[in-house]
Amino acid sequence: MSLFGGSSKGIRFEAFGTSHLIVIGLLVLCMIGLYIGRNKLKELNLRKVEFGIAGLLIVADLLYNIWMVKNDIWRTSDSLPLQLCSISLYLVILLLLTRNKLVYEIVLFTGILGAMQAVLTPYLFFDFPHFRFIHFFGTHSLIILVPLYFTWVIGYRPTIYSIGKVFLFLNILMPFIMLVNKKTDGNYMFLGGKPETKSVLNYLGEYPYYIVSLEGVLLVLSLLLWVGLREKNKKLRKETEISM
């Protein structure tokens, strides 16, 4: 079997199989480690590391496209970088290169919520150690970890207005994605139908009504994420810092 081939025969991915559970466990450990070590990381100059991760993601995306072309599976209907996680990947790269606060506000929600759903219910056919398995979980994990790094280490925080910005961004993007879907017979951002694999969309009604339901779910999850990561009461935060 080829670890770079286009056929999943012999290494077909199994949801919540051993390799999948290991990846989820490693991601959770990285998130915990990032949070526990946030104060020590604040003392370091990690700008070169940020550039390095951005470069790594650019190379990973380039290799992925080369792999698709080489195996004759690159198609305008599903290979353009217009899925939510692909868009979030480019936003993460932009955030790492610029440290732009608006980019952070958008990718904090699109990245964490979108990539987390992708990690738990992946649209994937190749198991470890295939290139696509490593690429898929490596990039999606960084889409989650980078915004958390900017929250816990760099000190950026979302506001209630950040949620409005995310919804504005997505709803401006949606008509363009629908037009591309129509022109390419694609299903980017699953705006043309549900994915073949199980996902949260299976519980949100039939097409096109699940799109409205999904926006409701996104709003609830965004509010929960904002509550968990927003800047807490400054007075309480200062008292906590003094006591430490």
Side-chain angles (χ1 to χ4, degrees):
M1 64 181 180
S2 173
L3 300 185
F4 296 92
S7 172
S8 60
K9 185 177 180 181
I11 49 173
R12 190 169 182 84
F13 175 76
E14 180 185 351
F16 297 104
T18 302
S19 58
H20 189 197
L21 292 175
I22 289 174
V23 167
I24 293 173
L26 288 174
L27 176 58
V28 171
L29 287 176
C30 287
M31 292 167 66
I32 294 173
L34 184 61
Y35 181 77
I36 292 175
R38 65 193 186 283
N39 290 327
K40 290 185 178 179
L41 290 173
K42 289 178 182 178
E43 300 173 359
L44 305 176
N45 183 1
L46 298 174
R47 196 70 185 110
K48 290 183 179 179
V49 176
E50 293 169 18
F51 285 131
I53 294 174
L56 177 65
L57 289 173
I58 292 172
V59 171
D61 188 64
L62 179 62
L63 289 176
Y64 175 50
N65 280 275
I66 292 174
W67 171 75
M68 287 191 290
V69 171
K70 182 180 178 181
N71 288 282
D72 197 28
I73 55 178
W74 196 101
R75 300 180 296 267
T76 56
S77 60
D78 57 18
S79 302
L80 296 172
L82 296 177
Q83 296 287 16
L84 184 59
C85 286
S86 297
I87 294 169
S88 295
L89 174 66
Y90 287 110
L91 289 175
V92 163
I93 293 171
L94 185 61
L95 175 60
L96 287 165
L97 293 177
T98 67
R99 288 191 169 186
N100 184 277
K101 183 68 183 297
L102 177 59
V103 174
Y104 160 81
E105 290 179 286
I106 294 173
V107 78
L108 178 71
F109 295 97
T110 64
I112 292 179
L113 297 179
M116 190 66 74
Q117 192 269 339
V119 168
L120 294 176
T121 58
Y123 185 62
L124 183 66
F125 301 101
F126 302 90
D127 206 343
F128 183 83
H130 194 276
F131 161 76
R132 176 55 178 152
F133 178 95
I134 297 171
H135 170 270
F136 181 92
F137 286 112
T139 54
H140 282 81
S141 294
L142 285 172
I143 289 172
I144 295 169
L145 292 171
V146 169
L148 291 177
Y149 160 79
F150 272 85
T151 302
W152 293 331
V153 178
I154 303 302
Y156 289 1
R157 294 286 175 173
T159 69
I160 191 64
Y161 301 107
S162 301
I163 298 176
K165 295 174 185 178
V166 172
F167 272 79
L168 181 62
F169 171 76
L170 291 176
N171 282 279
I172 289 175
L173 192 61
M174 193 180 300
F176 169 73
I177 299 296
M178 287 180 168
L179 178 61
V180 173
N181 284 340
K182 184 177 180 179
K183 294 293 185 181
T184 64
D185 195 27
N187 189 23
Y188 294 107
M189 291 179 64
F190 303 118
L191 293 176
K194 297 178 183 179
E196 297 175 12
T197 54
K198 290 183 179 179
S199 73
V200 68
L201 299 183
N202 292 96
Y203 306 98
L204 298 180
E206 297 301 320
Y207 176 83
Y209 306 108
Y210 71 78
I211 297 175
V212 178
S213 301
L214 186 60
E215 290 217 5
V217 172
L218 178 61
L219 176 60
V220 172
L221 293 177
S222 296
L223 287 170
L224 291 174
L225 188 61
W226 166 71
V227 168
L229 298 179
R230 75 190 193 284
E231 187 173 25
K232 305 300 189 295
N233 183 278
K234 293 183 179 181
K235 181 179 180 181
L236 177 61
R237 180 159 55 85
K238 288 181 179 179
E239 291 175 354
T240 304
E241 291 175 350
I242 291 174
S243 64
M244 292 175 63

